Amino acid sequence: MTDEIKNVLREALGPKAVLESKERLEPFGSDGSDLFHIPELVVEVQTTAQVCKVMQLASRYRFPVTPRGLGTGRAGGAVPVRGGVVLSLAPMNRILAIEPDNMIAEVEAGVLTLDLKEAAKARGLFYPPDPASLDTCSIGGNAATNAGGPACLKYGTTRDYVLGLECVLPSGVSIRTGVKTRKGVVGYDLTRLIVGSEGTLAVITKMTLKLIAHPPSLMTLVAFYGELTTAMASIRKILMAGHVPCAMEFLDDRCLRLAGDLLPFKGIDRAGALLIIEVDGDPDMIAREIETIGVICQRGGALEVLMAPDAAKRAKLWEVRRQVSLRIEENAPFVIREDIAVPLGRITALCENLPEVEKAWNLAIYAFGHAGDGNVHILITAADTSGRQRAAEAVGAILKVVLGLGGTISGEHGIGLLKRPFLPLELGPENIRLQRDIKGLFDPQLILNPDKVFP
Amino acid sequence: MTDEIKNVLREALGPKAVLESKERLEPFGSDGSDLFHIPELVVEVQTTAQVCKVMQLASRYRFPVTPRGLGTGRAGGAVPVRGGVVLSLAPMNRILAIEPDNMIAEVEAGVLTLDLKEAAKARGLFYPPDPASLDTCSIGGNAATNAGGPACLKYGTTRDYVLGLECVLPSGVSIRTGVKTRKGVVGYDLTRLIVGSEGTLAVITKMTLKLIAHPPSLMTLVAFYGELTTAMASIRKILMAGHVPCAMEFLDDRCLRLAGDLLPFKGIDRAGALLIIEVDGDPDMIAREIETIGVICQRGGALEVLMAPDAAKRAKLWEVRRQVSLRIEENAPFVIREDIAVPLGRITALCENLPEVEKAWNLAIYAFGHAGDGNVHILITAADTSGRQRAAEAVGAILKVVLGLGGTISGEHGIGLLKRPFLPLELGPENIRLQRDIKGLFDPQLILNPDKVFP
């Protein structure tokens, strides 16, 4: 990043769009991972034309550009590891249209996910994806990482709601992909190739999103089990009985010991697993459905099944889920967050392997997450920072177990920087070669979010 | 295709796998479109290794290979327009596994879609996609075209059920893509790039499919309306009330005049549109739901709302839907089938344009299809074959209307050969260039299903 380049960028975008001082650059050096690398320059864009301009200059002068939504990614995908420019889409935060007749939304990439959800709700519509960071993350970042969340069990991930994109290729050319319709099979699915590509193929600037009707109500149930095995058997019975809850979360015994005191219920000390199950829809129907699900849990060996009939109690339950993460972070000098997924029937087998790993590397390992879709968050900590190396080794061991069970090394967070070294554990060399070739096709100079995804 | 190549293929695959006589080749010259081009050779493969072998030889000798499932495609995608080899995957028809615990299936590409649906059902599981040809089409062909059907409104298209693929690249190398899990964000989504690529990027040999619980019951309602406008307003009200039927089909007035006599109801002569609406799930819940939907239709101006409580009556209703197509074909010397989709709120606007087109080109135009997702089948006929040119011109006019309404030129059938000329109406030149580059990356010699999709 020579002075010449900086001048050209300032001229092209206006001086206010270009951040240069160390204190203004620093917040753009990290994301929701522990990683940090300060950018040389931050460019805050307001329009697609400005994104084109930045990429055209990047192509001409060959400087790296790291696109960034609101910087909540867990895998380091927005960390500018090669320096250069961080391209912040945060100012592109307009909801361009909510169309109730067509049940779609048109948004800019920097829109806060919660803002979209609320704007849709105000028109009776629902944008279902609900990543944990929904009140701090951007819809463009959600698309770049194909973000999930508890509701994905019923509603699918971000990918299922992105009908079309406007995006800027590394060359600086903007294209439109996809449709505004529910269905479409015209040519290759560029939309879903770019969704989940973690900002390495194109900069997403605008999106056409599918909306559905907002469910009028929601009911929550919590069930304690003596053991994880019986809890997971209930999950499968609930699914096989045709129920599709909008959340089926679990906490393992370690998580319960850490945050169970917050639960507004007794008997938690006997519990080896907890399920939080939610259904949404017509109030009468879900009242019956949650009851049926409760019966399945009871017959499946739950120690206790409790309803959370009001919003306050519901909030308390989810607070426990949230507190698990926070307390782990508070109590440990560092945390490695894994985000694996296994086939539905394999969660127990996975969790049964964790105590052995704990013992072998002298660590504390917590498991919780989306029991209904096999996506388990595994948090690995040691009592002191000197355990970091042991924890890293344990990660390798856990990922091997995961892959041995037919699983995947990332269910929600993506590869970014953090999981790059593990990619070849899951994907064959021919698959990786093909993916690299696609990267090279979109970005022959390797200027867009370089050094991400591929080792 | 020199004699040398034929010999090499015979040697590599065994003489029984290679078909050469004109009468054995002819059935492989056409598909579910009107198009025909006889292949020079047909190779029937039993294993992935054989597919690799064929593609290796094709790469070496540079002959075109057209992969084929069961040949039911509507767009000519399996027609070997450049001659060469038709690679029939029909013999690869084994269901390798149905895993109830993991709610997935492993299948070979040549499996009949109905066979998979029934094998899943026997284990309490459901494979939802239901293209009209489900009792004659292959699951691999469904993936190649991202096939839809009425149930896609509730359940999504084939794309949403393909978790992972085994496929053979044009070079003859086989790769695995995707996962066996509900979620996965590891690298680029090659699975969904290949799904819907109409056999132009890779030959799909095996698939991992997502299954869900089989809904225990189904209820059907039929509603007559004086006009299409009011019928479509009901569709939107039903969706906005949070119902997600597993089918919402419509027939326009022309279709009713053609096949309405088959309906087991009176009063059809007054009707300008008919809706067939189905819900599936728990018997008690759907009984209440279908009633609520009936009330929405009635309040929305339906002339009559009738339940089809038993399977016989239901079968009769769907028979009408099927007969529309057949009677149009019987009564006309030719039929052009369009398969467009428009945003949900635009179906009426689209249909209102059709009489004008009919008049201007002296044609008969029928519209019916998936009202719940905006995917309308438009069948265009003239009284005699001399109208073919007029019909072709009318197609151009209709597609312009569709695109003007924010729609797409194909909702289900794909581009294949038939719609190639229209691709540039929908996609910008930069988008098409990128798609062509992807094709060139996978298939630099342009040997796999050449001359398809791109004009």
Side-chain angles (χ1 to χ4, degrees):
Chain A
M1 299 294 297
T2 61
D3 286 343
E4 184 199 350
I5 298 175
K6 290 181 184 178
N7 280 331
V8 174
L9 276 166
R10 259 185 244 111
E11 264 168 45
L13 302 159
K16 280 178 86 174
V18 181
L19 315 185
E20 298 184 66
S21 70
K22 188 158 172 279
E23 68 212 3
R24 299 198 71 186
L25 296 178
E26 262 179 0
F28 294 89
S30 64
D31 61 2
S33 67
D34 285 340
L35 304 166
F36 179 80
H37 196 291
I38 198 161
E40 293 167 75
L41 222 60
V42 171
V43 173
E44 295 185 313
V45 288
Q46 304 269 356
T47 66
T48 303
Q50 288 182 327
V51 178
C52 293
K53 197 77 215 171
V54 172
M55 293 316 304
Q56 282 157 13
L57 294 173
S59 291
R60 191 184 313 154
Y61 294 99
R62 297 197 174 211
F63 57 82
V65 174
T66 303
R68 179 185 178 95
L70 293 173
T72 59
R74 285 288 191 193
V79 174
V81 67
R82 294 270 296 271
V85 166
V86 162
L87 176 68
S88 170
L89 291 131
M92 289 186 68
N93 62 358
R94 288 178 304 161
I95 295 173
L96 302 168
I98 304 269
E99 300 179 13
D101 274 3
N102 299 321
M103 298 177 89
I104 57 176
E106 299 275 348
V107 299
E108 291 182 335
V111 167
L112 190 74
T113 303
L114 182 63
D115 284 351
L116 169 67
K117 284 174 89 81
E118 289 186 341
K121 191 177 180 183
R123 309 295 295 268
L125 292 161
F126 187 37
Y127 175 74
D130 59 346
S133 55
L134 66 87
D135 55 353
T136 53
C137 65
S138 73
I139 195 77
N142 292 174
T145 55
N146 184 23
C152 297
L153 163 60
K154 176 168 181 176
Y155 292 109
T157 58
T158 303
R159 173 174 75 203
D160 300 308
Y161 293 85
V162 181
L163 299 175
L165 295 172
E166 178 196 81
C167 50
V168 177
L169 300 176
S171 62
V173 169
S174 77
I175 63 167
R176 283 225 156 245
T177 72
V179 290
K180 294 172 186 241
T181 52
R182 264 20 195 183
K183 282 183 186 161
V185 286
V186 174
Y188 303 149
D189 194 346
L190 295 183
T191 304
R192 281 166 197 82
L193 179 61
I194 292 165
V195 168
S197 68
E198 305 190 40
T200 64
L201 296 181
V203 182
I204 297 170
T205 47
K206 290 179 192 163
M207 306 158 66
T208 304
L209 300 170
K210 172 179 163 176
L211 303 175
I212 59 175
H214 204 285
S217 61
L218 185 72
M219 290 199 76
T220 308
L221 166 159
V222 60
F224 294 113
Y225 290 81
E227 293 166 346
L228 196 66
T229 320
T230 42
M232 291 304 148
S234 284
I235 293 283
R236 285 200 302 283
K237 276 179 202 141
I238 292 163
L239 290 171
M240 283 301 289
H243 302 288
V244 190
C246 60
M248 288 214 274
E249 300 291 298
F250 84 102
L251 298 178
D252 75 354
D253 56 343
R254 274 198 174 277
C255 294
L256 285 176
R257 269 177 265 155
L258 196 70
D261 61 297
L262 295 171
L263 281 166
F265 309 117
K266 285 182 211 168
I268 190 68
D269 44 316
R270 291 178 299 144
L274 176 142
L275 299 180
I276 303 173
I277 300 174
E278 295 200 329
V279 290
D280 63 4
D282 174 78
D284 292 345
M285 294 203 196
I286 63 168
R288 294 169 52 142
E289 187 167 20
I290 199 90
E291 212 171 289
T292 312
I293 290 173
V295 170
I296 295 175
C297 293
Q298 245 147 5
R299 291 198 185 140
L303 302 178
E304 196 125 27
V305 176
L306 300 150
M307 302 289 163
D310 54 69
K313 219 155 197 175
R314 176 175 182 258
K316 240 177 193 167
L317 278 174
W318 284 98
E319 185 54 26
V320 176
R321 165 81 161 75
R322 241 183 313 274
Q323 282 295 330
V324 166
S325 265
L326 294 177
R327 287 197 177 177
I328 293 170
E329 276 169 8
E330 278 165 18
N331 290 338
F334 69 91
V335 178
I336 298 184
R337 305 170 165 280
E338 284 307 317
D339 156 53
I340 61 83
V342 288
L344 283 179
R346 306 280 164 80
I347 299 179
T348 307
L350 168 71
C351 290
E352 282 173 354
N353 270 281
L354 299 181
E356 209 170 299
V357 177
E358 274 189 324
K359 210 182 283 177
W361 279 279
N362 187 23
L363 301 163
I365 301 181
Y366 303 81
F368 62 92
H370 315 305
D373 56 26
N375 183 198
V376 181
H377 297 301
I378 298 175
L379 270 56
I380 303 156
T381 74
D384 57 288
T385 46
S386 72
R388 200 180 277 271
Q389 177 56 29
R390 300 198 311 277
E393 287 170 25
V395 166
I398 291 170
L399 295 182
K400 264 174 213 157
V401 171
V402 166
L403 293 168
L405 293 169
T408 178
I409 63 172
S410 182
E412 289 189 327
H413 298 167
I415 301 301
L417 270 178
L418 215 52
K419 290 185 186 161
R420 264 187 334 171
F422 304 115
L423 196 75
L425 291 181
E426 179 161 341
L427 303 181
E430 293 292 344
N431 182 313
I432 293 177
R433 187 179 309 165
L434 190 56
Q435 297 206 26
R436 275 184 184 284
D437 286 349
I438 290 172
K439 168 66 176 170
L441 179 70
F442 277 75
D443 184 14
Q445 298 188 95
L446 304 179
I447 51 174
L448 186 62
N449 214 0
D451 282 358
K452 302 291 165 67
V453 181
F454 304 109
Chain B
M1 299 294 295
T2 61
D3 286 343
E4 184 199 349
I5 297 175
K6 290 182 184 178
N7 279 331
V8 174
L9 276 166
R10 259 185 245 110
E11 264 167 46
L13 301 160
K16 280 178 87 174
V18 181
L19 314 185
E20 298 184 67
S21 70
K22 187 159 171 282
E23 67 213 4
R24 299 198 70 187
L25 295 179
E26 262 178 2
F28 294 88
S30 64
D31 61 4
S33 68
D34 286 340
L35 303 166
F36 179 81
H37 196 292
I38 197 161
E40 293 167 76
L41 222 60
V42 171
V43 173
E44 295 184 313
V45 288
Q46 304 268 357
T47 65
T48 304
Q50 287 182 329
V51 178
C52 292
K53 196 78 215 169
V54 173
M55 294 316 303
Q56 282 156 14
L57 293 173
S59 292
R60 189 183 315 153
Y61 294 99
R62 297 199 174 210
F63 57 82
V65 174
T66 303
R68 179 186 178 93
L70 294 172
T72 60
R74 285 287 191 194
V79 174
V81 67
R82 294 270 297 270
V85 167
V86 163
L87 176 69
S88 170
L89 292 130
M92 288 186 69
N93 62 359
R94 289 178 304 161
I95 295 174
L96 303 169
I98 304 269
E99 300 178 14
D101 273 4
N102 298 322
M103 299 176 90
I104 58 176
E106 299 275 349
V107 299
E108 291 183 334
V111 167
L112 190 75
T113 303
L114 183 63
D115 284 350
L116 169 65
K117 286 174 88 81
E118 290 186 341
K121 191 177 179 182
R123 309 295 295 270
L125 292 161
F126 187 37
Y127 175 74
D130 59 346
S133 55
L134 64 88
D135 54 354
T136 54
C137 65
S138 72
I139 195 77
N142 291 175
T145 55
N146 184 22
C152 297
L153 163 60
K154 175 167 181 175
Y155 292 110
T157 59
T158 303
R159 173 174 75 203
D160 300 308
Y161 292 87
V162 181
L163 298 175
L165 296 172
E166 178 196 80
C167 51
V168 177
L169 300 176
S171 62
V173 168
S174 78
I175 63 166
R176 282 224 156 248
T177 71
V179 288
K180 294 173 185 240
T181 51
R182 266 14 195 187
K183 282 183 186 160
V185 286
V186 174
Y188 302 150
D189 194 347
L190 295 182
T191 305
R192 280 167 197 82
L193 179 62
I194 292 165
V195 167
S197 68
E198 304 191 44
T200 63
L201 296 182
V203 182
I204 297 170
T205 48
K206 290 179 191 164
M207 306 158 65
T208 304
L209 299 170
K210 172 179 162 177
L211 303 175
I212 60 175
H214 204 286
S217 61
L218 185 72
M219 289 198 76
T220 308
L221 165 159
V222 59
F224 295 112
Y225 290 80
E227 293 166 346
L228 196 65
T229 320
T230 41
M232 292 304 149
S234 284
I235 293 283
R236 285 199 304 283
K237 276 179 202 141
I238 291 164
L239 290 172
M240 284 300 290
H243 302 288
V244 189
C246 61
M248 288 214 275
E249 301 291 298
F250 84 101
L251 297 178
D252 76 352
D253 55 343
R254 274 198 173 276
C255 295
L256 285 176
R257 269 177 265 155
L258 196 71
D261 61 295
L262 295 170
L263 280 165
F265 310 116
K266 284 182 208 168
I268 190 65
D269 45 317
R270 290 180 298 143
L274 176 143
L275 299 181
I276 303 173
I277 300 175
E278 295 199 330
V279 290
D280 62 5
D282 173 79
D284 291 346
M285 294 204 196
I286 64 168
R288 295 169 51 142
E289 187 167 20
I290 199 89
E291 211 171 289
T292 313
I293 289 173
V295 170
I296 295 174
C297 293
Q298 245 147 4
R299 290 197 185 142
L303 301 177
E304 197 126 24
V305 176
L306 300 150
M307 302 288 164
D310 53 69
K313 220 156 198 176
R314 176 174 182 258
K316 241 178 193 167
L317 278 175
W318 283 98
E319 186 54 26
V320 176
R321 165 82 161 76
R322 242 184 311 276
Q323 283 294 329
V324 166
S325 265
L326 294 176
R327 288 197 177 177
I328 293 169
E329 276 169 7
E330 278 166 17
N331 290 337
F334 70 90
V335 179
I336 298 184
R337 304 169 167 278
E338 284 306 317
D339 155 54
I340 60 82
V342 288
L344 284 178
R346 307 278 165 81
I347 299 179
T348 307
L350 168 71
C351 291
E352 282 172 354
N353 269 281
L354 299 180
E356 208 171 299
V357 177
E358 275 190 323
K359 209 184 283 177
W361 279 277
N362 187 23
L363 301 163
I365 301 181
Y366 303 81
F368 61 92
H370 316 305
D373 55 28
N375 183 198
V376 182
H377 298 302
I378 298 175
L379 271 56
I380 303 155
T381 74
D384 57 287
T385 46
S386 72
R388 200 179 277 272
Q389 178 56 30
R390 300 199 310 277
E393 288 169 26
V395 165
I398 291 170
L399 295 182
K400 264 174 213 158
V401 171
V402 166
L403 293 168
L405 292 168
T408 178
I409 63 172
S410 182
E412 290 188 328
H413 298 168
I415 301 302
L417 270 178
L418 216 51
K419 291 184 187 161
R420 265 188 332 172
F422 304 115
L423 197 74
L425 291 180
E426 180 162 342
L427 302 181
E430 292 292 344
N431 182 312
I432 292 177
R433 186 180 310 165
L434 190 55
Q435 298 206 25
R436 275 183 183 284
D437 286 349
I438 290 172
K439 168 68 176 170
L441 178 70
F442 277 74
D443 184 14
Q445 298 188 96
L446 303 179
I447 52 175
L448 185 63
N449 214 0
D451 281 358
K452 302 291 167 65
V453 182
F454 304 108

